[in-house]
Amino acid sequence: MKKSLLILAFAGLCFTTAAAQENIPHVFRTNAEDYNRRTEIILPQVKGYNIYKGDFHIHTMYSDGRITPAGRVAEAWFDGLDVIAITDHYEGYRNVQKFFKVAAPYNADGKPTKYMSAFKAGAAMLDFNAIHEEAVEMRDKAGYEMLIIKGCEMARNAHILGHFNCLFLKDINPLYDKELSVAFDKVHEQGGLVVHNHPAYVRGTTEKSKEQAALYDAGKIDGIEVSNSLSFYPPIVRRSVEENLFMLGCTDAHGQTMRKYGPLGVYRTMTFILAKELTEAAIKDALLKRRTIAYSAGYLIGEEKWLTEFLNAAIDCRLIKVDEKSGTRRFQITNTTSLTYRLNNGGKFVHELEPFQAVTVTLGKDKETGKYLAPTFTVDNMWHIDYQHPTITLEIDK
């Protein structure tokens, strides 16, 4: 009897185990998402303009970067950008040379393919437009609502002249000329714009070399980077204002943007463009009319007018209490954006206004006039001309 019970128990165990094995899935998804979500950077409308996030200085594996054009598009999309320009170096494609060397054993003679770049006579090896086309193909395939500007980076005697990005191009291949000023003429003939990159590159100073001054004086330069990667060039803000140049903030990305900016807990360096719509014509118009603000590691850099307009659009300032007895007014100041603002009340206190948070501020009366003080702050994470933080009076109950 005991033996029969033991046999039945064993059979039941086998049946239970077999049933359990049948219920084990062959594939179990540990996460239902196939990809990361886009970083949404919430910014206000300013004076009827939308704010688009752009990066106009990016490199790929076809020059000295480490990411494909398609990879740059996906990266920019998930970083929250709306506009990018891939600006690979026009005169030297180092990684292409490396590939030719690696591929040499597969050539019939086992010798590396001869590398030719655009400025060598008879060169027809490289099609510079193909980089842009690969990026556009990726965008269209993925369905990203992103504008991709055709561009490249030029340099001649870089230790004297520096580097320059050429944007809004139609055909990159025929732009080369030994004289950089002539090449810039070709850019402008196509309706393109020329940007002076990382302006402290030459001799570690932002002062113009004699050769650079000649380009500026001839009207060859349209814009300039006030911020490149995690560097800010304070004297360049004054130059931009005085010489009617638009200001950009760019990553100059070669490696992964996540590796540089992610550990810092900040968005990648970018430009805020105030434009009516996300079209090439509208973005170009915004640049030419200098409706831009550079963003770098939490700092906003630009003309005082647009910084003031931006902050007043970003912040809701409401009068919530008036105490006539104590002669004070209390305000609720609410941040409606994804950025942080450091509001300094004359050194007495600094309000760290975090994204989508609110603070209350109590202000008294001016001792001389007896009038209530306006909610006026120096914004410590904004920079304008001459390395100064702007002082901005908030619009009340707008």
Side-chain angles (χ1 to χ4, degrees):
M1 184 68 178
K2 290 183 179 180
K3 185 175 180 181
S4 298
L5 289 173
L6 183 62
I7 292 172
L8 287 172
F10 180 74
L13 178 63
C14 291
F15 177 79
T16 302
T17 303
Q21 288 177 339
E22 288 179 1
N23 291 328
I24 295 174
H26 290 279
V27 178
F28 175 78
R29 295 294 300 277
T30 56
N31 194 302
E33 295 286 349
D34 288 324
Y35 48 82
N36 295 322
R37 289 188 176 92
R38 171 175 163 89
T39 299
E40 295 296 348
I41 305 171
I42 308 303
L43 299 176
Q45 275 198 333
V46 178
K47 290 294 181 181
Y49 295 108
N50 300 315
I51 296 184
Y52 298 106
K53 289 84 66 179
D55 187 353
F56 297 89
H57 192 169
I58 302 173
H59 295 284
T60 78
M61 60 180 288
Y62 288 111
S63 61
D64 57 352
R66 293 184 288 280
I67 312 293
T68 65
R72 284 300 186 207
V73 171
E75 176 185 65
W77 175 254
F78 291 119
D79 283 347
L81 297 188
D82 307 297
V83 188
I84 64 169
I86 292 175
T87 53
D88 275 321
H89 293 283
Y90 194 51
E91 294 83 11
Y93 275 48
R94 186 167 65 201
N95 289 339
V96 176
Q97 289 175 301
K98 290 179 180 178
F99 174 77
F100 286 159
K101 186 175 180 180
V102 169
Y106 300 94
N107 293 335
D109 57 5
K111 295 180 180 180
T113 302
K114 186 177 180 181
Y115 171 75
M116 293 182 291
S117 59
F119 56 91
K120 291 184 179 179
M125 182 70 68
L126 300 178
D127 178 4
F128 293 84
N129 298 309
I131 301 164
H132 175 79
E133 291 165 4
E134 180 181 329
V136 169
E137 182 181 6
M138 167 60 184
R139 177 202 63 190
D140 293 346
K141 183 178 180 180
Y144 299 148
E145 293 182 15
M146 177 185 291
L147 183 63
I148 304 178
I149 305 298
K150 184 181 287 189
C152 69
E153 184 170 11
M154 288 189 182
R156 309 281 187 284
N157 302 318
H159 63 291
I160 296 173
L161 285 168
H163 292 192
F164 299 86
N165 273 346
C166 305
L167 307 173
F168 301 97
L169 303 175
K170 293 181 174 62
D171 186 357
I172 303 175
N173 293 326
L175 293 179
Y176 180 80
D177 191 277
K178 185 177 181 180
E179 294 296 328
L180 196 57
S181 62
V182 177
F184 289 168
D185 288 339
K186 293 182 178 182
V187 170
H188 287 132
E189 287 169 6
Q190 291 191 15
L193 302 177
V194 177
V195 179
H196 188 179
N197 295 342
H198 36 70
Y201 181 83
V202 177
R203 309 183 313 280
T205 175
T206 56
E207 294 181 2
K208 300 173 187 173
S209 67
K210 180 178 67 174
E211 293 80 4
Q212 286 177 340
L215 291 172
Y216 275 90
D217 293 343
K220 310 285 185 179
I221 312 302
D222 304 295
I224 191 164
E225 290 181 344
V226 293
S227 178
N228 177 285
S229 185
L230 295 171
S231 295
F232 164 47
Y233 312 108
I236 295 306
V237 179
R238 173 173 285 278
R239 183 190 300 180
S240 300
V241 171
E242 291 181 346
E243 301 186 25
N244 296 321
L245 306 169
F246 58 81
M247 293 183 247
L248 296 182
C250 303
T251 59
D252 193 1
H254 290 73
Q256 294 173 315
T257 56
M258 184 192 303
R259 293 185 64 185
K260 172 170 282 191
Y261 301 97
L264 300 177
V266 297
Y267 302 122
R268 64 190 277 173
T269 298
M270 66 183 75
T271 303
F272 298 152
I273 309 120
L274 284 68
K276 289 291 187 181
E277 57 185 358
L278 187 59
T279 64
E280 188 165 306
I283 296 299
K284 185 178 177 182
D285 177 72
L287 297 189
L288 289 172
K289 293 179 179 173
R290 308 201 315 276
R291 296 194 303 268
T292 64
I293 296 172
Y295 167 90
S296 179
Y299 286 92
L300 289 87
I301 307 155
E303 294 186 33
E304 186 174 19
K305 165 186 168 59
W306 289 116
L307 292 176
T308 299
E309 296 287 5
F310 179 94
L311 188 71
N312 267 307
I315 287 179
D316 181 63
C317 180
R318 296 183 182 272
L319 178 60
I320 57 175
K321 184 178 181 181
V322 179
D323 189 334
E324 296 289 357
K325 184 176 181 180
S326 64
T328 60
R329 295 192 300 176
R330 182 177 298 172
F331 299 92
Q332 178 174 287
I333 300 174
T334 305
N335 182 358
T336 66
T337 73
S338 299
L339 306 183
T340 296
Y341 308 99
R342 293 197 289 277
L343 307 181
N344 189 328
N345 186 26
K348 296 177 183 178
F349 52 80
V350 177
H351 293 284
E352 194 85 9
L353 194 54
E354 299 288 349
F356 309 108
Q357 299 297 313
V359 297
T360 57
V361 177
T362 302
L363 299 175
K365 293 183 177 181
D366 185 278
K367 293 181 180 179
E368 294 183 2
T369 66
K371 294 182 178 180
Y372 282 110
L373 294 170
T376 301
F377 303 92
T378 298
V379 189
D380 288 348
N381 65 319
M382 285 183 170
W383 270 311
H384 66 114
I385 204 165
D386 292 336
Y387 199 47
Q388 295 182 32
H389 304 301
T391 298
I392 299 173
T393 298
L394 300 181
E395 297 175 4
I396 303 173
D397 291 336
K398 61 179 181 296

